[in-house]
Amino acid sequence: MGQAIVGGKSYSFALRIIKLYKYLYHEKKEYVLSKQILRSGTAIGALCREAEYAQSRADFLNKMNISLKEANETEYWLMLLKDSDYITNSSFESIHQDCRELIKLLASIVKTTKNSITK
């Protein structure tokens, strides 16, 4: 259940990240941070998708753990973009809220999976 929810939310988030990348690249002429956030922000959903067909529980856990790391990295890039005035506070708050939600969901999935493996 949680996996299906995080899959949908991560896909929607990736679409928002792609739009943010286009804005940064074309409007702000920012080429370095925009590529970083595009890579990490779209990797979250790709890793969740890979986890759907994991070879084992350990493989599933590994992919979800990496997805969580990518979400944390994306949050870092978002903060840099806000603090360097590439995006407004209101733009940041909107997308940051989605990022935090993904981090919480992924952390919960990772924790639950770890607990089920160790039992």
Side-chain angles (χ1 to χ4, degrees):
M1 176 75 144
Q3 188 180 345
I5 292 170
V6 78
K9 288 186 181 290
S10 62
Y11 186 82
S12 296
F13 184 74
L15 290 173
R16 289 191 73 188
I17 290 293
I18 291 167
K19 288 177 184 174
L20 175 60
Y21 167 78
K22 287 178 177 180
Y23 166 76
L24 292 168
Y25 190 87
H26 295 293
E27 301 296 323
K28 295 290 189 170
K29 306 296 185 213
E30 198 300 307
Y31 306 111
V32 177
L33 297 175
S34 60
K35 286 209 174 152
Q36 292 289 343
I37 199 162
L38 178 66
R39 187 202 51 76
S40 66
T42 57
I44 300 164
L47 285 157
C48 289
R49 189 69 179 255
E50 281 186 54
E52 287 179 25
Y53 294 99
Q55 296 174 337
S56 64
R57 297 289 282 163
D59 186 35
F60 173 83
L61 177 60
N62 183 50
K63 286 180 177 27
M64 295 308 271
N65 238 331
I66 296 169
S67 183
L68 175 59
K69 289 167 68 173
E70 294 291 343
N72 276 308
E73 181 182 338
T74 301
E75 182 179 38
Y76 175 79
W77 296 124
L78 285 170
M79 292 167 64
L80 274 179
L81 288 167
K82 176 188 66 98
D83 292 340
S84 60
D85 296 324
Y86 278 108
I87 59 175
T88 63
N89 283 337
S90 61
S91 295
F92 169 80
E93 288 302 328
S94 173
I95 199 164
H96 183 247
Q97 183 177 353
D98 289 349
C99 189
R100 289 299 310 158
E101 185 177 357
L102 279 171
I103 289 169
K104 288 176 185 175
L105 285 167
L106 289 163
S108 176
I109 290 169
V110 166
K111 183 179 177 183
T112 302
T113 305
K114 278 182 185 175
N115 288 341
S116 72
I117 290 175
T118 58
K119 287 183 181 180

